[in-house]
Amino acid sequence: THTHTHTHTPQESRTKLHKKIAAFFVCFRQSDDFDAIRSKFATLERRQSSPSSPTSLRIDRHKSRELDSQDDIKKRLEVCEKGSMELPKYSAVINSNNFANALKATWIVADILSIVDILRTPEERFKHSDTIIKIFSRVKEMLIIPRIVLFLKEVEHPKLQYHAARVIAYYAPGPRIAHTPKDSAIHPDKMLHKIEVVRAGAVPILRDLLSSPHLEVRKQSAEALGALASYNHEARDFIQEKGVIPKLIKMINPQTPLSLLRPVTWTLSIFCGHTHDIKNFPPNTKALYPALERFNFIINKRGDTETLINTCCAMSYLLPGIHMHKSVVKRLTDLLKYPDNTLKTVLLHSFTDLVRLDNTNVRDFFDAGLLVNVQNLLKSSTAAEDYQIRLRVCDLVATLAGEKGYVQDVITAGLIPTKKNILF
């Protein structure tokens, strides 16, 4: 199911962090033995917090773009709004037989729909909901999408294929506006726009375009498939049945440029479980296990920040229950030293999930220096923007000590004094 992530203010994050640490120390003050500590803390956890959504700390996009200035955003929004008034004209051109003009019109329609990318959160889109809804309604009413899907087949016009795939990537997930009523036709759960794209026959064409001789077409096709598969398990499973997974996995090799690895790893993370309610609608992990070897290659050889984030996110859904080679354990642990807060947050969340779901590799992670790296993170993450890291560290330590019985390991690693220093 589709959920919107609430972004905590620094003060809210500080309060939550302090409550977590305070609860941890209450258990030590009130109990004399480790079993009692574990029991008390587990009870406090159940009362004070609900399990985090599998998507709550994961990025929604593979793109790590610099934040646009407000002036840039304003100008781009004005272009989108102005262009939306001329959609009937562009629709007529798209439905004509002039491919040169159709390319220009398709390009413009993709730029207009990019309003959902310019406004990056459901709350931001809510402020411009009238314009966004008008754009999506006009595109649907003018029957642009069936023609756009046909453009995907135009192998002699790769630029047209590329911009057609852009249109699908922006259009398929729908407006995604905060506070959309559940019974609204445009609520993400209704899959109004995805169903339109699927019925037009886009999925098998996009799958085949993953083998296009043109790099940009392959990149945009991978992203369009990820957009189609995100947030709805029915869409995810339907696309997987069309044989997309083996093609995506095959695209990860030493010759693949990083610019292609980014959307490919992002899309694979969607199929592994990212953006989905995996508790109620788990992915077909058996079909995805062959990706682990390629993921291991990325984390050791090829990953930049975006690709590492996508890959670690994907791996976190596949690793529970698997006995990992110690070299993989070591590399994942060492990535906590990587100078990117988003990657650290994803890794910490992944370690917490792994500990909660499976104890198979916990001791190996300890031997690889997990607790030492966590200790260093607590000491070094003192800036305001590091709240989420400290919160995730406390979550991991609380899970290890409070739920899984590794209290002595936590104490021996010296994490208790460090956590006290955060609170006091």
Side-chain angles (χ1 to χ4, degrees), residues 32-141:
D32 297 324
D33 63 88
F34 291 151
D35 287 338
I37 292 168
R38 286 196 300 272
S39 175
K40 285 180 179 292
F41 191 81
T43 301
L44 281 171
E45 282 284 276
R46 285 193 296 270
R47 290 176 180 172
Q48 295 180 4
S49 65
S50 58
S52 60
S53 134
T55 65
S56 61
L57 289 171
R58 314 296 169 97
I59 56 170
D60 278 342
R61 304 286 287 176
H62 68 275
K63 300 176 182 177
S64 295
R65 300 171 303 176
E66 292 296 324
L67 290 176
D68 297 322
S69 70
Q70 289 302 311
D71 286 342
D72 288 339
I73 291 174
K74 185 177 179 181
K75 289 176 182 176
R76 292 178 68 189
L77 286 174
E78 288 173 355
V79 170
C80 291
E81 291 174 1
K82 182 180 178 181
S84 70
M85 304 303 293
E86 299 181 322
L87 274 172
K89 179 179 73 175
Y90 301 132
S91 174
V93 175
I94 285 171
N95 283 290
S96 71
N97 293 320
N98 187 317
F99 284 117
N101 290 337
L103 169 60
K104 295 176 184 176
T106 303
W107 191 332
I108 293 171
V109 170
D111 286 347
I112 293 169
L113 286 167
S114 73
I115 190 170
V116 295
D117 200 41
I118 299 167
L119 302 168
R120 299 172 186 180
T121 68
E123 288 292 345
E124 286 179 307
R125 292 192 283 271
F126 179 72
K127 298 173 185 176
H128 300 268
S129 56
D130 289 345
T131 299
I132 296 173
I133 291 172
K134 189 182 299 181
I135 289 171
F136 274 78
S137 297
R138 284 177 176 167
V139 170
K140 184 172 177 59
E141 290 165 4

Side-chain angles (χ1 to χ4, degrees), residues 142-405:
M142 293 171 189
L143 302 178
I144 292 175
I145 295 304
R147 183 65 171 166
I148 291 292
V149 171
L150 289 177
F151 288 163
L152 293 172
K153 297 181 178 180
E154 295 295 332
V155 294
E156 295 182 1
H157 302 276
K159 287 186 178 180
L160 184 58
Q161 290 178 305
Y162 167 75
H163 289 292
R166 280 185 67 215
V167 169
I168 290 172
Y170 292 135
Y171 181 80
R176 292 163 289 160
I177 297 169
H179 316 300
T180 302
K182 273 275 190 180
D183 58 355
S184 169
I186 64 170
H187 190 280
D189 286 352
K190 304 294 185 184
M191 292 202 303
L192 177 70
H193 305 89
K194 289 187 180 183
I195 289 171
E196 182 183 2
V197 171
V198 169
R199 285 179 176 170
V203 174
I205 306 172
L206 289 167
R207 175 202 61 206
D208 293 344
L209 286 179
L210 294 175
S211 303
S212 168
H214 304 283
L215 175 61
E216 293 301 319
V217 173
R218 296 200 300 275
K219 286 165 55 178
Q220 196 57 54
S221 298
E223 184 164 344
L225 287 166
L228 276 164
S230 62
Y231 291 106
N232 297 101
H233 68 278
E234 299 101 325
R236 176 198 67 193
D237 296 344
F238 173 82
I239 295 169
Q240 185 164 333
E241 290 169 2
K242 298 299 179 183
V244 168
I245 301 300
K247 280 184 166 285
L248 288 168
I249 294 174
K250 190 177 179 181
M251 294 169 79
I252 302 175
N253 60 67
Q255 288 72 46
T256 307
L258 281 171
S259 62
L260 180 56
L261 281 178
R262 292 169 193 142
V264 167
T265 52
W266 176 73
T267 297
L268 279 170
S269 76
I270 298 292
F271 286 104
C272 289
H274 174 41
T275 77
H276 293 289
D277 175 5
I278 60 171
K279 182 178 180 180
N280 294 309
F281 306 105
N284 180 5
T285 51
K286 185 176 180 180
L288 290 157
Y289 283 144
L292 282 171
E293 183 179 350
R294 307 295 178 103
F295 289 156
N296 188 34
F297 162 73
I298 289 174
I299 64 174
N300 282 287
K301 302 289 186 182
R302 288 299 308 280
D304 66 348
T305 301
E306 295 174 24
T307 312
L308 285 171
I309 290 170
N310 299 335
T311 301
C312 291
C313 177
M315 290 179 74
S316 70
Y317 295 105
L318 302 181
L319 291 177
I322 294 178
H323 185 75
M324 288 179 265
H325 192 278
K326 289 188 177 182
S327 64
V328 178
V329 172
K330 176 64 174 171
R331 179 58 179 157
L332 289 173
T333 304
D334 286 347
L335 281 174
L336 283 175
K337 303 172 186 176
Y338 196 89
D340 182 85
N341 280 5
T342 303
L343 178 58
K344 291 173 185 175
T345 301
V346 168
L347 283 165
L348 288 167
H349 193 136
S350 300
F351 290 140
T352 304
D353 286 348
L354 282 169
V355 170
R356 281 190 175 126
L357 295 171
D358 176 40
N359 285 353
T360 304
N361 301 287
V362 173
R363 187 57 59 186
D364 286 340
F365 276 113
F366 287 171
D367 293 342
L370 175 62
L371 295 180
V372 173
N373 289 343
V374 165
Q375 167 87 293
N376 292 334
L377 272 181
L378 277 179
K379 290 179 178 178
S380 62
S381 303
T382 57
E385 60 268 22
D386 296 333
Y387 279 123
Q388 282 298 322
I389 290 179
R390 295 200 292 274
L391 189 62
R392 289 301 108 207
V393 166
C394 290
D395 238 357
L396 174 58
V397 173
T399 302
L400 287 167
E403 296 179 25
K404 297 300 179 179

